Amino acid sequence: MANKTLRRPLSLSARLTAFISLATVTAFAIFTWIMIHSVENHFAEQDVDDLRQLSSGLRTILSQENESQSTRLQQLINARENHRNSYIYLGNAQNQPLYQSPDGPDLRQVLGSVTFNAAGDIGDVMVWQDPQVANMPHDAMHRASYRIVALAIDTRVDGKPTRYNLLLALSIDFHLHYIQALKDNLIMTAIAISAAIVLMILFIVYQGHAPIKQVSRKIQGITSENLSSRLSPQQVPIELAQLVISFNQMIERIEDVFTRQSHFSADIAHEIRTPITNLVTQTEIALSQPRSAKEYEDVLYSNLEEFSRMAKMVSDMLFLSQADNNLLIPERVTLYLSEEVGKVFDFFEAWAEERQVSLQCFGQNVAISGDALMLRRAISNLLSNAIRYTPAGMAVSVRITDLSDHIQLIVENPGSAIDSAHLHRLFDRFYRVDPSRQRKGEGSGIGLAIVKSIIQAHRGTITVTSDGQVTRFIIALPKA
């Protein structure tokens, strides 16, 4: 039981909450990354602009050929004072130090990892962290991270060609502190907002599933005693409308089955009661006084007829039971409908002549795939009803038509019209158009139900129409 519980799928509420929360957290993470990346790029561009401006001014100062070296150094120091977070290392061509900002890092540590650029622009910009102060408290006097450019400036001092190697370092510690604080604030804000959104999503999902819970409560209230109850598709969200319609259709089918089952016992008892009553009555009369052998023989023959009727009814009910449980599997062979109808006509010919009813068959001798015995039984049941209700001197007709997508077989007979209110119930078991009418020698009352089961087993359909002149049973069967 524990393993089954663990393998149970997550609830819809949990799935929706998880997916929406994941989407929200992902969106905040992407937004945070974009914000931080944008700020970092902004500061990097700002630092490069500051280095470009400072390097341009210092290159101008160091390139003045008519100035002495001491004057140049003094101008260099004055220019650097206008940039509080910048630091300078100036060396000759052999990297012997000429000047270094006294309040900055020891830039000589970088000399081995840079290439001095003699072009007009600042060239490559590197980020360097002073290992000597990287782990010390970060205050205004102990900055650890810098952007550095290396410049080579060619000039003349006292008429002699001279090259200066210049390192410019710009502290970015303030920017890094700001970015780190921004990261912390954004992460904390994102966590707080995500938690709030998750709670909101839980509430919204709970409210959103309220119609499902209402439908569930209504469904729980439907029992075998109130199968006529239906749910209203107009009172649920549009997403649940089709579900409610499908549920109503299912309940309608179940109600129909329950109704038929509830009437089945009474119907079968009613049908069996008549022959049993006849058997008991005739037997009691036969035993009430001595009888001759001929009289006893007549009673036995009469009882045999009733037993035969009951046996046929039981056989028909077993046949329908097989159909209800999808056990009615017809044998598939190629048949020609006109030939099968002719065989059934041969069987009913004598009875039809007795009732002064003629039999007619029209149409093509088309082929179908099916079970010969079952189809003959279906046609026989239809002909039996048609002959029984056809006035003397008239004809029962069978018409066979080869249509584009199926074969149509119509059994029609003239006679009294069947009210439209009864047409859709004709194929129900034991259904009577006139409930007060008792059948005597007219079969068990389930012949049309058997016909419908046989046609459905052959993947066909059967319908009935009736007007003031003709009643038609229309069968549609797939082609061979």
Side-chain angles (χ1 to χ4, degrees):
M1 181 64 70
N3 292 335
K4 291 183 179 179
T5 303
L6 291 176
R7 290 195 297 268
R8 183 177 181 178
L10 290 174
S11 67
L12 290 178
S13 299
R15 292 185 183 186
L16 283 174
T17 303
F19 289 146
I20 299 176
S21 300
L22 179 61
T24 302
V25 171
T26 302
F28 270 110
I30 294 174
F31 172 77
T32 301
W33 180 86
I34 292 174
M35 284 287 295
I36 294 173
H37 189 68
S38 176
V39 171
E40 287 177 342
N41 288 340
H42 171 74
F43 283 146
E45 292 174 0
Q46 182 180 355
D47 294 340
V48 171
D49 288 340
D50 290 343
L51 287 173
R52 183 174 284 110
Q53 293 177 9
L54 181 58
S55 64
S56 177
L58 296 182
R59 184 185 292 275
T60 301
I61 292 173
L62 294 176
S63 299
Q64 299 177 19
E65 297 184 356
N66 57 347
E67 296 289 345
S68 64
Q69 182 165 296
S70 59
T71 302
R72 297 180 191 186
L73 290 177
Q74 185 59 47
Q75 292 177 351
L76 190 76
I77 295 171
N78 294 336
R80 177 259 169 184
E81 289 177 352
N82 295 327
H83 299 269
R84 292 185 302 109
N85 295 330
S86 61
Y87 305 95
I88 298 173
Y89 169 82
L90 183 65
N92 56 20
Q94 291 75 35
N95 278 330
Q96 294 174 346
L98 300 177
Y99 173 78
Q100 179 168 294
S101 299
D103 56 346
D106 186 2
L107 296 179
R108 289 175 297 179
Q109 303 175 69
V110 189
L111 292 176
S113 56
V114 299
T115 301
F116 290 92
N117 179 28
D121 199 8
I122 60 176
D124 296 334
V125 179
M126 65 173 291
V127 176
W128 174 69
Q129 190 174 36
D130 189 350
Q132 296 182 359
V133 295
N135 298 321
M136 296 177 63
H138 291 178
D139 55 28
M141 298 301 296
H142 295 93
R143 298 182 175 91
S145 299
Y146 306 89
R147 295 191 191 277
I148 295 178
V149 295
L151 305 176
I153 303 172
D154 294 319
T155 185
R156 300 180 71 85
V157 178
D158 298 332
K160 296 179 181 180
T162 303
R163 165 167 287 198
Y164 292 115
N165 288 336
L166 177 65
L167 290 177
L168 293 180
L170 185 66
S171 174
I172 58 174
D173 204 48
F174 173 79
H175 294 171
L176 296 179
H177 285 175
Y178 177 82
I179 292 173
Q180 185 60 46
L182 179 64
K183 287 181 181 179
D184 295 340
N185 290 334
L186 285 175
I187 291 174
M188 294 300 296
T189 302
I191 292 174
I193 295 177
S194 298
I197 289 178
V198 170
L199 294 177
M200 292 176 60
I201 291 170
L202 282 172
F203 177 77
I204 293 172
V205 169
Y206 178 82
Q207 293 297 323
H209 285 170
I212 299 179
K213 296 178 181 178
Q214 293 175 359
V215 171
S216 177
R217 285 193 292 268
K218 291 180 181 179
I219 291 175
Q220 289 175 352
I222 297 177
T223 64
S224 59
E225 298 177 355
N226 60 343
L227 285 175
S228 60
S229 300
R230 297 293 184 269
L231 304 180
S232 175
Q234 288 74 27
Q235 295 180 358
V236 298
I238 191 171
E239 293 82 2
L240 298 179
Q242 186 57 49
L243 176 63
V244 168
I245 292 173
S246 300
F247 176 79
N248 287 340
Q249 293 173 347
M250 180 190 70
I251 288 295
E252 185 174 353
R253 292 192 296 268
I254 293 176
E255 183 185 16
D256 179 64
V257 172
F258 265 78
T259 301
R260 287 193 293 172
Q261 290 293 336
S262 63
H263 294 312
F264 175 76
S265 296
D267 290 336
I268 194 68
H270 177 78
E271 295 295 329
I272 294 178
R273 181 179 60 184
T274 300
I276 290 179
T277 301
N278 293 338
L279 289 171
V280 172
T281 302
Q282 292 176 6
T283 303
E284 288 177 345
I285 293 175
L287 296 176
S288 63
Q289 59 184 358
R291 306 286 180 178
S292 65
K294 181 66 171 62
E295 291 176 327
Y296 283 125
E297 184 179 354
D298 292 339
V299 170
L300 290 176
Y301 273 118
S302 177
N303 289 350
L304 179 60
E305 291 180 0
E306 297 296 342
F307 284 129
S308 298
R309 180 183 175 191
M310 293 175 63
K312 184 177 184 303
M313 183 185 300
V314 172
S315 176
D316 290 343
M317 293 306 303
L318 289 175
F319 185 89
L320 289 175
S321 176
Q322 288 180 318
D324 290 341
N325 293 281
N326 296 320
L327 299 177
L328 196 61
I329 303 175
E331 181 183 0
R332 296 291 178 178
V333 296
T334 301
L335 305 173
Y336 292 92
L337 275 182
S338 294
E339 296 179 3
E340 300 303 320
V341 172
K343 295 175 183 178
V344 178
F345 276 9
D346 292 341
F347 180 79
F348 283 97
E349 184 176 3
W351 184 42
E353 289 181 358
E354 179 183 343
R355 298 182 64 92
Q356 300 179 10
V357 174
S358 60
L359 303 177
Q360 300 174 344
C361 182
F362 305 96
Q364 306 160 333
N365 192 21
V366 294
I368 65 168
S369 177
D371 190 300
L373 294 179
M374 286 188 184
L375 290 174
R376 287 177 201 166
R377 183 174 186 178
I379 298 172
S380 296
N381 287 351
L382 294 177
L383 280 180
S384 174
N385 284 339
I387 294 172
R388 182 177 295 114
Y389 297 112
T390 299
M394 306 193 77
V396 174
S397 301
V398 177
R399 302 182 184 275
I400 302 171
T401 307
D402 187 357
L403 301 179
S404 59
D405 56 347
H406 65 276
I407 305 299
Q408 187 180 76
L409 186 147
I410 300 176
V411 178
E412 61 183 26
N413 66 280
S416 302
I418 302 175
D419 191 274
S420 58
H422 300 291
L423 290 179
H424 71 286
R425 298 289 307 278
L426 287 182
F427 299 101
D428 292 352
R429 302 170 193 182
F430 304 115
Y431 181 74
R432 291 179 174 86
V433 175
D434 181 5
S436 63
R437 179 168 164 264
Q438 299 293 327
R439 293 187 180 91
K440 293 185 179 180
E442 296 182 357
S444 61
I446 54 179
L448 292 180
I450 291 176
V451 172
K452 184 176 181 180
S453 298
I454 291 174
I455 299 303
Q456 289 179 340
H458 284 79
R459 301 193 299 275
T461 59
I462 181 169
T463 56
V464 59
T465 63
S466 183
D467 52 35
Q469 297 178 344
V470 178
T471 297
R472 294 183 180 87
F473 286 87
I474 304 168
I475 298 174
L477 293 169
K479 293 184 177 182

